[in-house]
Structures are given as structure tokens and as C-alpha cells.
Amino acid sequence: MTVIEIPMTDGTAEAYLTGVADHPQPGVLLFMDAIGLRPRIEEMADRIAAWGYTVLAPNAFYRNGKAADLSPDGPLDTDAKREEFFGGAMQRVHGLTAELAERDIPQYVDALLAQPNVTAPIGVVGYCMGARLAIRATYLRTEQVAAAAGFHGGGLATEEPDSPHARLAEATAEFVFGHADGDRSMDATAIERLDAALRDAGLEASNEVYAGAAHGYTMSDTAVYDEAATERSFAELRALFDRTLKR
């Protein structure tokens, strides 16, 4: 496990790399949540790597600064700490437009595939805003991305023309979504809109709400962590990657 630097069109993105092997194995791109690239994201990447994958987790906010400077000083283990942190973090989220994200994602894919012994196809997984990036990866690199998952994602299927779901007809990946319960950023209407797009595209997909799980449920360094929902998400993610990337 190490931190590498990825030359990007708009600068240099640091990324956490783990699971590099001396034999061929599939790669996985992990797209972080709005809180940023920090120890919890590294823990999650390490867990996926232990299943037999090389995992790359880039700092999607590289235009705003280094991951250590943008991440919270400690756990967001109270509602007050979450609210204070997200006051600034949401500016970074909104600043990562669809145009910028679609410029970055192919470069992240290339950086992963450039690692020793990484084989295609690859998988992608995203959390919170990272789920949007995971969807975009599937249509930007159709031939290389065979599996995609999003957990407690927000804004996946809006009415805007650049909504992530709008180009799902171009994708060929299998999808797994585990939505937070009562999530204002991904309400029942948006979930049905996503479901319809997946069906219309003829894609194999699971698109479910995790009952009782709040937005951000996988993040053990926050007050909304839900262990049962997190373990379910990892079980479904592992099954997805194993059946699509290890064939």
C-alpha cells in the first residue's frame, strides 16, 4: 500500500494504491465520498484488495488541494461536527462538475491499468458523490469497466441533462446499488428513475434501498455509521466483482 501521484490534465492527483501483486489480477477504482481521501477510505480499499484485487482510490478533489489538508482533523462522530465540516466540503462537491469529472475519470482508469499486473476488465465502486463517478466510468470506458457499484449515492438520476444515469444506454457493466433509506439526495422518485434507465438499457442490476440505513452508512468515522448495512454492502460488492472480474 502506498500513495502515488497521477499526472492529470488539470494538475496532479494523489491516490491510495493497495493490493499490488506479483501476478495478474483485476483492478478496482474506488471513488471516495464527499469527506475525502482519508484513513477510512484506505481501510475500505485494503478490504477490497484482500479479496484479490489491486485497488486505486484517487483524491477526486485534487484541484482543491492535498487530501490531508481537505479531510477532517478527526472523526465526524457527532451531528455538529458533520454539519461544520460539510459547510465547506459541499463547495468542493458542487465544484466537481460533470464536465470535470468526465475529464478526470479516463485518466484514473489509465493510471490503474498502468499498475504492474493489473488486468482488464476492471470494477468501480463509489460512495456518496463517488457513486456518480462510478456510473460515469461505465460509459466513458465501456470496454474496460465490467462492474460498477454505488452505495448511499446522491444525485445519480436527476432531471438535468448531464445526470449520471442519462448515458446508461452506452454502458455494458453489471450494477449494484445500495441506497440509503429516506435519502433526500436520492429519493424514491430518483431511485425509480435510475431503475427505469437500467431496465431500458437492458443492464443487469440490483437497485435496492437498505432499510434503516442513513446516508453515509459505510463511513465508520462518522456518526451515521451502520455496521449491518456496511457488511451487506461489502458482501454484495464482493459477489459482484468476483462474478464479473474473475471469470
Side-chain angles (χ1 to χ4, degrees):
M1 59 192 75
T2 186
V3 175
I4 66 170
E5 293 189 339
I6 306 172
M8 306 289 288
T9 301
D10 297 330
T12 300
E14 63 194 303
Y16 182 72
L17 178 67
T18 184
V20 176
D22 58 3
H23 57 271
Q25 66 179 13
V28 170
L29 265 181
L30 190 160
F31 292 113
M32 67 191 202
D33 63 347
I35 302 174
L37 183 61
R38 63 196 191 284
R40 174 54 179 163
I41 297 296
E42 295 174 0
E43 290 172 3
M44 297 167 80
D46 288 343
R47 181 167 178 174
I48 297 169
W51 304 337
Y53 299 97
T54 298
V55 183
L56 184 70
N59 172 23
F61 293 148
Y62 70 90
R63 293 180 181 85
N64 302 101
K66 292 288 188 180
D69 298 328
L70 302 176
S71 298
D73 295 333
L76 302 181
D77 50 8
T78 67
D79 291 338
K81 289 179 181 179
R82 280 176 55 84
E83 290 177 11
E84 180 181 4
F85 176 78
F86 277 105
M90 291 312 295
Q91 296 179 20
R92 296 190 286 273
V93 174
H94 296 314
L96 186 59
T97 63
E99 179 184 0
L100 293 178
E102 293 189 359
R103 186 185 305 168
D104 292 342
I105 290 167
Q107 296 175 77
Y108 297 145
V109 173
D110 289 343
L112 174 60
L113 291 172
Q115 300 308 310
N117 300 312
V118 171
T119 62
I122 66 168
V124 294
V125 57
Y127 298 86
C128 181
M129 67 153 205
R132 298 199 289 269
L133 305 184
I135 293 177
R136 296 191 192 283
T138 66
Y139 62 74
L140 291 171
R141 287 297 181 88
T142 302
E143 295 182 358
Q144 295 163 318
V145 180
F151 299 104
H152 51 84
L156 308 185
T158 73
E159 296 180 300
E160 299 300 319
D162 60 0
S163 173
H165 83 293
R167 291 177 60 183
L168 278 172
E170 301 172 44
T172 58
E174 181 180 343
F175 290 83
V176 166
F177 293 102
H179 304 292
D181 197 352
D183 193 340
R184 290 179 296 176
S185 67
M186 194 65 191
D187 61 17
T189 299
I191 292 172
E192 175 52 36
R193 187 181 293 126
L194 175 60
D195 202 57
L198 292 164
R199 289 196 311 269
D200 291 347
L203 296 167
E204 189 169 349
S206 172
N207 187 38
E208 299 184 2
V209 174
Y210 286 13
H215 182 87
Y217 60 77
T218 63
M219 299 302 158
S220 60
D221 55 355
T222 75
V224 295
Y225 176 63
D226 185 314
E227 183 178 7
T230 298
E231 291 306 310
R232 177 181 174 184
S233 72
F234 275 115
E236 295 188 2
L237 182 65
R238 183 172 189 174
L240 170 69
F241 285 167
D242 285 355
R243 68 176 170 263
T244 55
L245 306 182
K246 292 186 175 180
R247 290 177 297 187

